[in-house]
Amino acid sequence: MNIALVMPNSNTHRESSFYDLTFISTFLLSKRHNSHLLAIPTLAALTPPGHEIRIFDEHIREIDFNWPADLVGISVLTMSAGRAYEICSQYRRLGALTVLGGIHPSMCTEEAIQYGDSVVVGEAEKLWPVIVNDAQNGRLQPVYRAEKKTDLKYSPIPARSELSRDRYLSDVLQTAKGCPFECEFCSVHAFDGQRIRTKKIEQVVREIKEITKTESRYKKRSSIFFVDDNFVANKSFARELVRAIKPYPINWMCQASMNISDDDELLALMKDSGCGAVFIGFESISRDNLTHMNKGINKRYQYLEVIKKIQSHEILIHGSFIVGADSDTLSSFDELIAFVRESRLLIPLFNILTPFPGTKLFQRFEAAGRILHKDWSRYDTKHVVFSPLNMHPEELREGYKKIIREVYSFEAIYERLRTYWDLDFWRQNNLVDPVRGKYRLLFAIRLASLLVSQKWDRSKFICRVLPSVFKRHVRVSTILSMMSYNDFSYSIE
């Protein structure tokens, strides 16, 4: 059979941005995306031999509906559900069988089955070979349910060779599934379970070897994001892992709970093995909100001390915050802006509270009649889809816009960059290799081409940054990311 594996575009409401234009120019007119999901290359690896596979990631290429697919597997996030259903309809009109899987169909099975020929509930590792065989023999079932969690020690290496690897800024790799916490807004514990399941260390090393085989024209080291929900959930495994990956030429980042700040030995090992950044969910600076969210672990820590400790190991923190929780008021927006200014977090991320299906938050809000609609394309953490407790939905939206516009104003960006330059943060961190001169030159040329702009603050920022582009302590990717957030903050309605 011809099997199409599809990652639908989840950026339904995204506007064009400076970031896209920069990368089109910088990377020799090729469109690049942050990273890919692992579900689709994993399905490709699980597909029995004798079938032709094509992968379509709509974030980087259009789906070729003219290719005669017999079976179509679609991995669905909540925000991409509407687009996934459209894709299903088009393929079904062409006579192909369609299978919907991922977290959204698992949580909204009755909805999903209205659009696809079959729905996978839970993890697909044991189910996909059966589904392919059933489809080939004309006995595809409407629903396939995973009876138990997958033993990751027997998981195949995702078939990354089927992806357009040069179209992504970083590779993704998963070493474990599961999370011991039960945050109200998160569905990880419902989908992946609370027991931590890990791969074997040698499995992870084999994946890294495969990733690093592909040389980049621009970087000497591969960039990897470990997408484990909590990289340090099993600290003994984490220690063994970081020691094992140290010999390989990678720069990497991960997600972790803030109790990582208690472990200087592990932080030193991480830094020594190539870790440049850690993503941490601070979620809220309100202790009442943390209680509502069931984020008790965060209440045990002083945020400023956590930031100071982790970054003292030359590991950058990407801190994430949620606005719109039940204890937030109109004054909360200014308080969060002030905290970011005080903490000097370089690239803080902000999201509007979103009740995703399958979460306890969704159940609570639906029971209380606080869900405004189920237009899944707006369940992207950038739109308000529920009734906040202490403000109007529009006030929450405006407060969110105020935060990102102030935190990512060019003046604020430059002040934070200057703080890290004064600390000589990246020069000391030898694990972040300087990007080759050609890459920096292209970036400088692109920046210079934007000097003539209707936005004076952008032109001023470029003039201030350009002289530093060729210094070792300037990270081009960091500047690009921060400029993209500025652009995004003014593109939203």
PDB file of all heavy atoms in Angstrom, residues 114-126:
ATOM      1  N   GLN A 114     -16.366  10.730  13.746  1.00  0.00           N
ATOM      2  CA  GLN A 114     -17.280  11.288  12.753  1.00  0.00           C
ATOM      3  C   GLN A 114     -16.543  11.709  11.479  1.00  0.00           C
ATOM      4  O   GLN A 114     -17.166  11.880  10.427  1.00  0.00           O
ATOM      5  CB  GLN A 114     -17.994  12.516  13.327  1.00  0.00           C
ATOM      6  CG  GLN A 114     -18.856  12.233  14.549  1.00  0.00           C
ATOM      7  CD  GLN A 114     -19.459  13.510  15.102  1.00  0.00           C
ATOM      8  OE1 GLN A 114     -20.062  14.315  14.366  1.00  0.00           O
ATOM      9  NE2 GLN A 114     -19.295  13.729  16.400  1.00  0.00           N
ATOM     10  N   TYR A 115     -15.219  11.874  11.590  1.00  0.00           N
ATOM     11  CA  TYR A 115     -14.461  12.405  10.459  1.00  0.00           C
ATOM     12  C   TYR A 115     -13.511  11.383   9.839  1.00  0.00           C
ATOM     13  O   TYR A 115     -13.222  11.460   8.637  1.00  0.00           O
ATOM     14  CB  TYR A 115     -13.658  13.632  10.909  1.00  0.00           C
ATOM     15  CG  TYR A 115     -14.525  14.751  11.410  1.00  0.00           C
ATOM     16  CD1 TYR A 115     -14.828  14.871  12.770  1.00  0.00           C
ATOM     17  CD2 TYR A 115     -15.073  15.686  10.538  1.00  0.00           C
ATOM     18  CE1 TYR A 115     -15.628  15.894  13.245  1.00  0.00           C
ATOM     19  CE2 TYR A 115     -15.887  16.714  11.002  1.00  0.00           C
ATOM     20  CZ  TYR A 115     -16.160  16.811  12.357  1.00  0.00           C
ATOM     21  OH  TYR A 115     -16.969  17.817  12.814  1.00  0.00           O
ATOM     22  N   GLY A 116     -12.989  10.454  10.622  1.00  0.00           N
ATOM     23  CA  GLY A 116     -12.046   9.469  10.107  1.00  0.00           C
ATOM     24  C   GLY A 116     -12.667   8.098  10.007  1.00  0.00           C
ATOM     25  O   GLY A 116     -13.702   7.810  10.616  1.00  0.00           O
ATOM     26  N   ASP A 117     -12.030   7.220   9.236  1.00  0.00           N
ATOM     27  CA  ASP A 117     -12.497   5.835   9.154  1.00  0.00           C
ATOM     28  C   ASP A 117     -12.162   5.066  10.421  1.00  0.00           C
ATOM     29  O   ASP A 117     -12.836   4.103  10.766  1.00  0.00           O
ATOM     30  CB  ASP A 117     -11.850   5.141   7.946  1.00  0.00           C
ATOM     31  CG  ASP A 117     -12.296   5.752   6.630  1.00  0.00           C
ATOM     32  OD1 ASP A 117     -13.502   5.678   6.330  1.00  0.00           O
ATOM     33  OD2 ASP A 117     -11.442   6.314   5.919  1.00  0.00           O
ATOM     34  N   SER A 118     -11.101   5.500  11.111  1.00  0.00           N
ATOM     35  CA  SER A 118     -10.675   4.804  12.311  1.00  0.00           C
ATOM     36  C   SER A 118     -10.001   5.788  13.263  1.00  0.00           C
ATOM     37  O   SER A 118      -9.416   6.779  12.825  1.00  0.00           O
ATOM     38  CB  SER A 118      -9.704   3.673  11.948  1.00  0.00           C
ATOM     39  OG  SER A 118      -9.346   2.913  13.082  1.00  0.00           O
ATOM     40  N   VAL A 119     -10.084   5.494  14.550  1.00  0.00           N
ATOM     41  CA  VAL A 119      -9.473   6.329  15.572  1.00  0.00           C
ATOM     42  C   VAL A 119      -8.638   5.448  16.498  1.00  0.00           C
ATOM     43  O   VAL A 119      -9.086   4.375  16.923  1.00  0.00           O
ATOM     44  CB  VAL A 119     -10.537   7.092  16.400  1.00  0.00           C
ATOM     45  CG1 VAL A 119      -9.897   7.812  17.584  1.00  0.00           C
ATOM     46  CG2 VAL A 119     -11.286   8.079  15.526  1.00  0.00           C
ATOM     47  N   VAL A 120      -7.433   5.916  16.809  1.00  0.00           N
ATOM     48  CA  VAL A 120      -6.558   5.232  17.760  1.00  0.00           C
ATOM     49  C   VAL A 120      -6.656   5.949  19.099  1.00  0.00           C
ATOM     50  O   VAL A 120      -6.434   7.155  19.179  1.00  0.00           O
ATOM     51  CB  VAL A 120      -5.093   5.223  17.278  1.00  0.00           C
ATOM     52  CG1 VAL A 120      -4.188   4.580  18.329  1.00  0.00           C
ATOM     53  CG2 VAL A 120      -4.975   4.483  15.957  1.00  0.00           C
ATOM     54  N   VAL A 121      -6.984   5.204  20.147  1.00  0.00           N
ATOM     55  CA  VAL A 121      -7.083   5.758  21.494  1.00  0.00           C
ATOM     56  C   VAL A 121      -5.873   5.281  22.292  1.00  0.00           C
ATOM     57  O   VAL A 121      -5.697   4.083  22.510  1.00  0.00           O
ATOM     58  CB  VAL A 121      -8.383   5.318  22.185  1.00  0.00           C
ATOM     59  CG1 VAL A 121      -8.454   5.891  23.600  1.00  0.00           C
ATOM     60  CG2 VAL A 121      -9.600   5.758  21.368  1.00  0.00           C
ATOM     61  N   GLY A 122      -5.034   6.219  22.694  1.00  0.00           N
ATOM     62  CA  GLY A 122      -3.826   5.867  23.429  1.00  0.00           C
ATOM     63  C   GLY A 122      -2.617   5.756  22.519  1.00  0.00           C
ATOM     64  O   GLY A 122      -2.626   6.219  21.371  1.00  0.00           O
ATOM     65  N   GLU A 123      -1.568   5.130  23.038  1.00  0.00           N
ATOM     66  CA  GLU A 123      -0.310   5.011  22.300  1.00  0.00           C
ATOM     67  C   GLU A 123      -0.443   3.976  21.172  1.00  0.00           C
ATOM     68  O   GLU A 123      -1.071   2.925  21.344  1.00  0.00           O
ATOM     69  CB  GLU A 123       0.819   4.624  23.255  1.00  0.00           C
ATOM     70  CG  GLU A 123       1.072   5.682  24.309  1.00  0.00           C
ATOM     71  CD  GLU A 123       2.043   5.230  25.386  1.00  0.00           C
ATOM     72  OE1 GLU A 123       2.070   4.037  25.705  1.00  0.00           O
ATOM     73  OE2 GLU A 123       2.782   6.089  25.907  1.00  0.00           O
ATOM     74  N   ALA A 124       0.194   4.275  20.041  1.00  0.00           N
ATOM     75  CA  ALA A 124      -0.027   3.474  18.833  1.00  0.00           C
ATOM     76  C   ALA A 124       1.041   2.413  18.579  1.00  0.00           C
ATOM     77  O   ALA A 124       0.948   1.675  17.601  1.00  0.00           O
ATOM     78  CB  ALA A 124      -0.113   4.400  17.623  1.00  0.00           C
ATOM     79  N   GLU A 125       2.061   2.327  19.452  1.00  0.00           N
ATOM     80  CA  GLU A 125       3.187   1.444  19.156  1.00  0.00           C
ATOM     81  C   GLU A 125       2.757   0.005  18.878  1.00  0.00           C
ATOM     82  O   GLU A 125       3.241  -0.634  17.931  1.00  0.00           O
ATOM     83  CB  GLU A 125       4.203   1.466  20.306  1.00  0.00           C
ATOM     84  CG  GLU A 125       5.164   2.644  20.255  1.00  0.00           C
ATOM     85  CD  GLU A 125       4.618   3.906  20.886  1.00  0.00           C
ATOM     86  OE1 GLU A 125       3.383   4.001  21.110  1.00  0.00           O
ATOM     87  OE2 GLU A 125       5.412   4.822  21.150  1.00  0.00           O
ATOM     88  N   LYS A 126       1.854  -0.535  19.688  1.00  0.00           N
ATOM     89  CA  LYS A 126       1.403  -1.916  19.496  1.00  0.00           C
ATOM     90  C   LYS A 126       0.295  -2.018  18.452  1.00  0.00           C
ATOM     91  O   LYS A 126       0.051  -3.097  17.896  1.00  0.00           O
ATOM     92  CB  LYS A 126       0.893  -2.481  20.829  1.00  0.00           C
ATOM     93  CG  LYS A 126       1.964  -2.653  21.905  1.00  0.00           C
ATOM     94  CD  LYS A 126       2.951  -3.742  21.533  1.00  0.00           C
ATOM     95  CE  LYS A 126       3.935  -3.995  22.664  1.00  0.00           C
ATOM     96  NZ  LYS A 126       4.943  -5.016  22.304  1.00  0.00           N
TER      97      LYS A 126
END
